[in-house]
PDB file of all heavy atoms in Angstrom:
ATOM      1  N   GLY A  31     -23.086  -2.553   2.634  1.00 94.00           N
ATOM      2  CA  GLY A  31     -23.868  -1.357   2.320  1.00 94.00           C
ATOM      3  C   GLY A  31     -23.049  -0.087   2.368  1.00 94.00           C
ATOM      4  O   GLY A  31     -23.503   0.972   1.944  1.00 94.00           O
ATOM      5  N   TRP A  32     -21.803  -0.146   2.902  1.00 93.00           N
ATOM      6  CA  TRP A  32     -20.945   1.040   2.940  1.00 93.00           C
ATOM      7  C   TRP A  32     -19.830   0.830   1.916  1.00 93.00           C
ATOM      8  O   TRP A  32     -18.905   0.070   2.148  1.00 93.00           O
ATOM      9  CB  TRP A  32     -20.342   1.272   4.333  1.00 93.00           C
ATOM     10  CG  TRP A  32     -19.686   2.619   4.378  1.00 93.00           C
ATOM     11  CD1 TRP A  32     -18.452   2.920   3.911  1.00 93.00           C
ATOM     12  CD2 TRP A  32     -20.250   3.851   4.834  1.00 93.00           C
ATOM     13  NE1 TRP A  32     -18.200   4.261   4.043  1.00 93.00           N
ATOM     14  CE2 TRP A  32     -19.292   4.864   4.617  1.00 93.00           C
ATOM     15  CE3 TRP A  32     -21.483   4.202   5.407  1.00 93.00           C
ATOM     16  CZ2 TRP A  32     -19.514   6.197   4.945  1.00 93.00           C
ATOM     17  CZ3 TRP A  32     -21.701   5.529   5.744  1.00 93.00           C
ATOM     18  CH2 TRP A  32     -20.719   6.517   5.509  1.00 93.00           C
ATOM     19  N   VAL A  33     -19.966   1.506   0.769  1.00 95.00           N
ATOM     20  CA  VAL A  33     -18.990   1.255  -0.301  1.00 95.00           C
ATOM     21  C   VAL A  33     -18.024   2.423  -0.516  1.00 95.00           C
ATOM     22  O   VAL A  33     -16.946   2.254  -1.080  1.00 95.00           O
ATOM     23  CB  VAL A  33     -19.689   0.898  -1.650  1.00 95.00           C
ATOM     24  CG1 VAL A  33     -20.326  -0.479  -1.558  1.00 95.00           C
ATOM     25  CG2 VAL A  33     -20.698   1.947  -2.046  1.00 95.00           C
ATOM     26  N   ALA A  34     -18.412   3.637  -0.106  1.00 95.00           N
ATOM     27  CA  ALA A  34     -17.502   4.783  -0.243  1.00 95.00           C
ATOM     28  C   ALA A  34     -16.462   4.732   0.879  1.00 95.00           C
ATOM     29  O   ALA A  34     -16.415   3.775   1.655  1.00 95.00           O
ATOM     30  CB  ALA A  34     -18.294   6.085  -0.214  1.00 95.00           C
ATOM     31  N   GLN A  35     -15.630   5.770   0.991  1.00 95.00           N
ATOM     32  CA  GLN A  35     -14.585   5.806   2.017  1.00 95.00           C
ATOM     33  C   GLN A  35     -15.188   5.633   3.407  1.00 95.00           C
ATOM     34  O   GLN A  35     -16.034   6.417   3.810  1.00 95.00           O
ATOM     35  CB  GLN A  35     -13.868   7.157   1.931  1.00 95.00           C
ATOM     36  CG  GLN A  35     -12.790   7.369   2.974  1.00 95.00           C
ATOM     37  CD  GLN A  35     -12.260   8.785   2.910  1.00 95.00           C
ATOM     38  OE1 GLN A  35     -11.542   9.131   1.981  1.00 95.00           O
ATOM     39  NE2 GLN A  35     -12.615   9.614   3.858  1.00 95.00           N
ATOM     40  N   GLY A  36     -14.761   4.604   4.118  1.00 94.00           N
ATOM     41  CA  GLY A  36     -15.325   4.313   5.434  1.00 94.00           C
ATOM     42  C   GLY A  36     -14.368   3.501   6.280  1.00 94.00           C
ATOM     43  O   GLY A  36     -13.154   3.710   6.223  1.00 94.00           O
ATOM     44  N   PRO A  37     -14.920   2.566   7.073  1.00 96.00           N
ATOM     45  CA  PRO A  37     -14.076   1.836   8.047  1.00 96.00           C
ATOM     46  C   PRO A  37     -12.966   1.003   7.409  1.00 96.00           C
ATOM     47  O   PRO A  37     -11.891   0.854   7.992  1.00 96.00           O
ATOM     48  CB  PRO A  37     -15.077   0.937   8.787  1.00 96.00           C
ATOM     49  CG  PRO A  37     -16.318   0.902   7.939  1.00 96.00           C
ATOM     50  CD  PRO A  37     -16.344   2.192   7.188  1.00 96.00           C
ATOM     51  N   ARG A  38     -13.224   0.448   6.217  1.00 98.00           N
ATOM     52  CA  ARG A  38     -12.181  -0.376   5.592  1.00 98.00           C
ATOM     53  C   ARG A  38     -11.016   0.502   5.109  1.00 98.00           C
ATOM     54  O   ARG A  38      -9.859   0.086   5.170  1.00 98.00           O
ATOM     55  CB  ARG A  38     -12.756  -1.204   4.445  1.00 98.00           C
ATOM     56  CG  ARG A  38     -13.642  -2.337   4.948  1.00 98.00           C
ATOM     57  CD  ARG A  38     -14.330  -3.067   3.825  1.00 98.00           C
ATOM     58  NE  ARG A  38     -15.127  -4.185   4.313  1.00 98.00           N
ATOM     59  CZ  ARG A  38     -16.351  -4.081   4.822  1.00 98.00           C
ATOM     60  NH1 ARG A  38     -16.934  -2.900   4.905  1.00 98.00           N
ATOM     61  NH2 ARG A  38     -17.000  -5.141   5.253  1.00 98.00           N
ATOM     62  N   VAL A  39     -11.331   1.697   4.635  1.00 98.00           N
ATOM     63  CA  VAL A  39     -10.253   2.620   4.251  1.00 98.00           C
ATOM     64  C   VAL A  39      -9.417   2.969   5.486  1.00 98.00           C
ATOM     65  O   VAL A  39      -8.181   2.934   5.444  1.00 98.00           O
ATOM     66  CB  VAL A  39     -10.805   3.899   3.577  1.00 98.00           C
ATOM     67  CG1 VAL A  39      -9.724   4.972   3.464  1.00 98.00           C
ATOM     68  CG2 VAL A  39     -11.357   3.576   2.184  1.00 98.00           C
ATOM     69  N   ALA A  40     -10.084   3.252   6.609  1.00 97.00           N
ATOM     70  CA  ALA A  40      -9.347   3.600   7.832  1.00 97.00           C
ATOM     71  C   ALA A  40      -8.450   2.442   8.270  1.00 97.00           C
ATOM     72  O   ALA A  40      -7.293   2.638   8.662  1.00 97.00           O
ATOM     73  CB  ALA A  40     -10.328   3.980   8.941  1.00 97.00           C
ATOM     74  N   ALA A  41      -8.967   1.214   8.169  1.00 98.00           N
ATOM     75  CA  ALA A  41      -8.179   0.039   8.580  1.00 98.00           C
ATOM     76  C   ALA A  41      -6.983  -0.166   7.635  1.00 98.00           C
ATOM     77  O   ALA A  41      -5.872  -0.493   8.083  1.00 98.00           O
ATOM     78  CB  ALA A  41      -9.068  -1.204   8.592  1.00 98.00           C
ATOM     79  N   PHE A  42      -7.226   0.026   6.348  1.00 98.00           N
ATOM     80  CA  PHE A  42      -6.139  -0.141   5.362  1.00 98.00           C
ATOM     81  C   PHE A  42      -5.061   0.922   5.580  1.00 98.00           C
ATOM     82  O   PHE A  42      -3.859   0.627   5.531  1.00 98.00           O
ATOM     83  CB  PHE A  42      -6.719  -0.075   3.945  1.00 98.00           C
ATOM     84  CG  PHE A  42      -5.716  -0.273   2.845  1.00 98.00           C
ATOM     85  CD1 PHE A  42      -4.749  -1.270   2.909  1.00 98.00           C
ATOM     86  CD2 PHE A  42      -5.739   0.547   1.714  1.00 98.00           C
ATOM     87  CE1 PHE A  42      -3.824  -1.462   1.880  1.00 98.00           C
ATOM     88  CE2 PHE A  42      -4.829   0.365   0.682  1.00 98.00           C
ATOM     89  CZ  PHE A  42      -3.867  -0.633   0.769  1.00 98.00           C
ATOM     90  N   GLU A  43      -5.481   2.149   5.860  1.00 98.00           N
ATOM     91  CA  GLU A  43      -4.505   3.221   6.113  1.00 98.00           C
ATOM     92  C   GLU A  43      -3.606   2.869   7.289  1.00 98.00           C
ATOM     93  O   GLU A  43      -2.376   3.013   7.221  1.00 98.00           O
ATOM     94  CB  GLU A  43      -5.240   4.535   6.434  1.00 98.00           C
ATOM     95  CG  GLU A  43      -5.943   5.154   5.238  1.00 98.00           C
ATOM     96  CD  GLU A  43      -6.747   6.404   5.604  1.00 98.00           C
ATOM     97  OE1 GLU A  43      -7.184   6.545   6.766  1.00 98.00           O
ATOM     98  OE2 GLU A  43      -6.942   7.232   4.708  1.00 98.00           O
ATOM     99  N   ALA A  44      -4.240   2.412   8.379  1.00 98.00           N
ATOM    100  CA  ALA A  44      -3.461   2.107   9.583  1.00 98.00           C
ATOM    101  C   ALA A  44      -2.507   0.944   9.317  1.00 98.00           C
ATOM    102  O   ALA A  44      -1.330   0.990   9.701  1.00 98.00           O
ATOM    103  CB  ALA A  44      -4.413   1.774  10.736  1.00 98.00           C
ATOM    104  N   ALA A  45      -2.990  -0.090   8.638  1.00 98.00           N
ATOM    105  CA  ALA A  45      -2.168  -1.282   8.404  1.00 98.00           C
ATOM    106  C   ALA A  45      -1.025  -0.966   7.431  1.00 98.00           C
ATOM    107  O   ALA A  45       0.117  -1.396   7.637  1.00 98.00           O
ATOM    108  CB  ALA A  45      -3.031  -2.418   7.857  1.00 98.00           C
ATOM    109  N   PHE A  46      -1.337  -0.204   6.388  1.00 98.00           N
ATOM    110  CA  PHE A  46      -0.286   0.096   5.403  1.00 98.00           C
ATOM    111  C   PHE A  46       0.791   0.988   6.022  1.00 98.00           C
ATOM    112  O   PHE A  46       1.992   0.746   5.862  1.00 98.00           O
ATOM    113  CB  PHE A  46      -0.868   0.751   4.143  1.00 98.00           C
ATOM    114  CG  PHE A  46       0.161   0.922   3.062  1.00 98.00           C
ATOM    115  CD1 PHE A  46       0.476  -0.129   2.208  1.00 98.00           C
ATOM    116  CD2 PHE A  46       0.857   2.119   2.916  1.00 98.00           C
ATOM    117  CE1 PHE A  46       1.462   0.001   1.235  1.00 98.00           C
ATOM    118  CE2 PHE A  46       1.851   2.260   1.939  1.00 98.00           C
ATOM    119  CZ  PHE A  46       2.140   1.196   1.105  1.00 98.00           C
ATOM    120  N   ALA A  47       0.347   2.039   6.740  1.00 98.00           N
ATOM    121  CA  ALA A  47       1.316   2.950   7.368  1.00 98.00           C
ATOM    122  C   ALA A  47       2.235   2.170   8.310  1.00 98.00           C
ATOM    123  O   ALA A  47       3.459   2.345   8.288  1.00 98.00           O
ATOM    124  CB  ALA A  47       0.593   4.076   8.104  1.00 98.00           C
ATOM    125  N   ALA A  48       1.642   1.273   9.122  1.00 98.00           N
ATOM    126  CA  ALA A  48       2.457   0.483  10.053  1.00 98.00           C
ATOM    127  C   ALA A  48       3.461  -0.369   9.283  1.00 98.00           C
ATOM    128  O   ALA A  48       4.626  -0.501   9.688  1.00 98.00           O
ATOM    129  CB  ALA A  48       1.556  -0.398  10.917  1.00 98.00           C
ATOM    130  N   SER A  49       3.041  -0.917   8.145  1.00 98.00           N
ATOM    131  CA  SER A  49       3.930  -1.814   7.388  1.00 98.00           C
ATOM    132  C   SER A  49       5.132  -1.077   6.791  1.00 98.00           C
ATOM    133  O   SER A  49       6.160  -1.702   6.525  1.00 98.00           O
ATOM    134  CB  SER A  49       3.154  -2.533   6.278  1.00 98.00           C
ATOM    135  OG  SER A  49       2.953  -1.678   5.158  1.00 98.00           O
ATOM    136  N   VAL A  50       5.015   0.222   6.557  1.00 98.00           N
ATOM    137  CA  VAL A  50       6.159   0.971   6.015  1.00 98.00           C
ATOM    138  C   VAL A  50       6.828   1.832   7.092  1.00 98.00           C
ATOM    139  O   VAL A  50       7.692   2.652   6.786  1.00 98.00           O
ATOM    140  CB  VAL A  50       5.778   1.844   4.782  1.00 98.00           C
ATOM    141  CG1 VAL A  50       5.168   0.976   3.685  1.00 98.00           C
ATOM    142  CG2 VAL A  50       4.847   2.994   5.150  1.00 98.00           C
ATOM    143  N   GLY A  51       6.426   1.651   8.337  1.00 98.00           N
ATOM    144  CA  GLY A  51       7.086   2.362   9.430  1.00 98.00           C
ATOM    145  C   GLY A  51       6.755   3.840   9.490  1.00 98.00           C
ATOM    146  O   GLY A  51       7.580   4.652   9.916  1.00 98.00           O
TER     147      GLY A  51
END
Side-chain angles (χ1 to χ4, degrees):
W32 190 279
V33 290
Q35 178 187 287
R38 288 174 177 81
V39 167
F42 182 44
E43 289 176 334
F46 187 83
S49 79
V50 303

